[in-house]
Amino acid sequence: MRQALCTLILHRAVSMDIILVNGFLGSGKTTGIARASQQLQDAGHRVAVVTNDQGTDLVDTNYLRSLGLETQEVTGACFCCHFAELESRLVDLIESFRPTVLFAESVGSCTDLVATVVKPLLQKYPAMRLSVSVFADASLVLKIFQGQASFLTDHIRYIFQKQLEEADLIFLNKADLLEAEQTAELTDQFKAIYPSKHVHVGSALEDQAIVNWLDRLPELSHLTNREALDIDYDKYAAGEAELGWLNVLVSIEDPEEKAIQAAQEFIAAFRHNLLKHQLQIGHVKCLIDTHQGLIKINFTSSTQNQSSDFPTGISARNVKILVNARVLCPPDQLQDQLMDAMDWVEDEHRVTVSSGPVTAFSPSYPSPTYRLS
Ligand SMILES: Nc1nc2c(ncn2[C@@H]2O[C@H](COP(=O)(O)OP(=O)(O)O)[C@@H](O)[C@H]2O)c(=O)[nH]1
Ligand SMILES: [Mg+2]
């Protein structure tokens, strides 16, 4: 019965576009989806999102929901390893919300989506309109080409490269961080490496770059000749295992009502600790609940929000900070740096800092539900 319902509902999906968005940690996937959703909604579309992560308590989900976007999540593993959950979220959204565009953002350490997600979905629902966009941080790619990307170990570079290899469209993002000549050079190099792919260079923060991206997608959703990656799962797993994951909800209480400033200092101290110990940052996302709204603070190896992004003059006795950190180090080391930042802000600002349960781990060996070559 449930299967029949799924089939019925997903056949309705022929009247909508499903856009799988992949790309390394911090490359700008959520930013691109948020901006694109805004444009699509302004044009009358009904937009839904499925987020994904190896952990639970996701900043991306809470952030996208705070923007008013219909959002569901697949947690605890990548889409490939939790295929049934992905399918179930798609069905639920299509049934309950009837989106005309649906974004699915996969966790940034994941690859092999064509074999493990796209082909299984299309085999089951041949009329489904599906495309794969892969974001890459252009400033990081430039460093890789110049041999300076110390952040990427061989195994992580392997994942990075495999993600790009299976894209229908590559969005070389954060072009605002490059000089015009560097952008031109990078575009030429990418087009030479991936002659059959659509390569877009721009910034997800700029409206026109999003327009250009969205314009391309309808034609890509009809592609039928995607090839499954030739991939070594041992290397892929080794790359993921090098990364530490940490999710925690931190609370700060300040009788003098300067808890927002203390939260800012705590996040800065955490970043400082990571840099001091030369731990390479994949993506650290923090969502501060001030009771008067949410403030999102991110930092990656190339970008960080400026402290000027914080609203000034708002007083708060207590705030909660949801932290999702993905860093190139063992998870216990990541946890030590977080605890140290909590202790520091407690002493320095005379505030009370506490946390809920800390989830710290490295992703386990990927084991896809299906793999169709
Ligand atoms: N300078 C700049 N920063 C960007 C751009 N796109 C995203 N970011 C920043 O990069 C960080 C990671 O973005 P996010 O979309 O969360 O990455 P995700 O992990 O791929 O979903 C955030 O701090 C964004 O504000 C861009 O085009 N230019
Ligand atoms: Mg994201």
Side-chain angles (χ1 to χ4, degrees):
M1 177 62 187
R2 173 80 179 158
Q3 184 57 37
L5 183 66
C6 293
T7 307
L8 174 74
I9 289 166
L10 278 175
H11 274 226
R12 272 193 208 143
V14 296
S15 58
M16 59 176 278
D17 280 298
I18 299 181
I19 302 151
L20 272 175
V21 182
N22 196 15
F24 197 65
L25 302 162
S27 55
K29 301 179 290 296
T30 306
T31 308
I33 289 170
R35 298 273 173 149
S37 300
Q38 183 67 58
Q39 288 190 12
L40 288 161
Q41 285 177 324
D42 290 349
H45 280 279
R46 292 173 66 76
V47 183
V49 187
V50 183
T51 57
N52 174 224
D53 198 83
Q54 314 277 11
T56 53
D57 302 322
L58 308 188
V59 165
D60 284 356
T61 307
N62 286 286
Y63 171 66
L64 293 167
R65 283 182 182 156
S66 77
L67 300 180
L69 281 166
E70 188 69 25
T71 307
Q72 293 206 16
E73 58 185 19
V74 173
T75 58
C78 54
F79 285 151
C80 339
C81 301
H82 274 182
F83 183 87
E85 284 83 346
L86 170 64
E87 190 180 6
S88 163
R89 297 303 113 76
L90 294 175
V91 168
D92 286 349
L93 280 168
I94 293 167
E95 186 181 23
S96 64
F97 184 69
R98 294 181 176 244
T100 54
V101 179
L102 202 157
F103 291 98
E105 176 184 344
S106 52
V107 59
S109 60
C110 179
T111 187
D112 204 26
L113 286 171
V114 167
T116 61
V117 174
V118 176
K119 283 179 183 277
L121 277 176
L122 289 177
Q123 187 181 63
K124 229 168 165 181
Y125 313 105
M128 188 179 260
R129 294 206 320 240
L130 197 68
S131 62
V132 183
S133 291
V134 174
F135 278 59
D137 178 333
S139 63
L140 191 56
V141 172
L142 189 71
K143 282 193 189 142
I144 295 172
F145 282 174
Q146 293 170 342
Q148 297 170 6
S150 56
F151 165 58
L152 298 179
T153 63
D154 285 351
H155 289 136
I156 292 178
R157 192 179 287 118
Y158 182 74
I159 295 175
F160 198 92
Q161 174 204 331
K162 288 293 163 190
Q163 289 177 338
L164 294 170
E165 240 176 70
E166 64 175 347
D168 297 334
L169 178 149
I170 296 172
F171 193 136
L172 267 176
N173 189 31
K174 306 193 189 181
D176 55 299
L177 301 178
L178 303 185
E179 303 295 332
E181 313 84 69
Q182 292 176 315
T183 309
E185 194 186 326
L186 202 58
T187 313
D188 289 346
Q189 281 174 300
F190 251 65
K191 288 193 168 155
I193 300 170
Y194 303 107
S196 62
K197 293 192 191 301
H198 295 272
V199 179
H200 277 265
V201 189
S203 163
L205 302 174
E206 287 164 13
D207 286 343
Q208 192 54 48
I210 298 294
V211 170
N212 295 344
W213 174 40
L214 292 177
D215 277 354
R216 277 284 173 206
L217 296 178
E219 71 184 86
L220 299 176
S221 62
H222 295 290
L223 286 178
T224 52
N225 58 349
R226 295 183 185 92
E227 283 189 20
L229 284 177
D230 178 9
I231 182 166
D232 178 338
Y233 263 63
D234 289 343
K235 280 192 190 171
Y236 169 20
E240 284 203 297
E242 285 168 4
L243 291 158
W245 243 246
L246 182 147
N247 290 357
V248 66
L249 187 64
V250 175
S251 301
I252 298 184
E253 179 144 1
D254 179 9
E256 294 185 10
E257 304 202 339
K258 290 186 178 155
I260 294 178
Q261 289 86 333
Q264 176 181 11
E265 294 290 332
F266 157 66
I267 294 167
F270 184 35
R271 179 169 183 269
H272 174 80
N273 283 354
L274 299 177
L275 295 177
K276 187 175 73 186
H277 291 89
Q278 299 184 327
L279 302 180
Q280 305 295 330
I281 298 162
H283 194 182
V284 176
K285 314 176 232 189
C286 305
L287 200 62
I288 305 171
D289 186 349
T290 67
H291 306 289
Q292 299 176 60
L294 295 176
I295 304 168
K296 187 169 175 257
I297 306 294
N298 297 35
F299 46 94
T300 70
S301 60
S302 68
T303 44
Q304 72 172 112
N305 298 65
Q306 300 302 310
S307 51
S308 58
D309 295 343
F310 277 88
T312 51
I314 301 179
S315 50
R317 176 178 273 267
N318 54 64
V319 296
K320 291 197 184 311
I321 308 151
L322 181 59
V323 180
N324 289 176
R326 288 86 181 92
V327 176
L328 183 62
C329 71
D332 51 350
Q333 197 177 359
L334 183 55
Q335 187 166 342
D336 288 348
Q337 299 316 320
L338 179 104
M339 294 299 169
D340 186 80
M342 286 171 60
D343 291 346
W344 178 85
V345 79
E346 193 160 48
D347 291 348
E348 197 73 15
H349 286 261
R350 297 174 194 282
V351 293
T352 306
V353 183
S354 57
S355 81
V358 179
T359 313
F361 62 93
S362 291
S364 51
Y365 199 100
S367 172
T369 315
Y370 302 107
R371 185 168 199 285
L372 305 181
S373 47

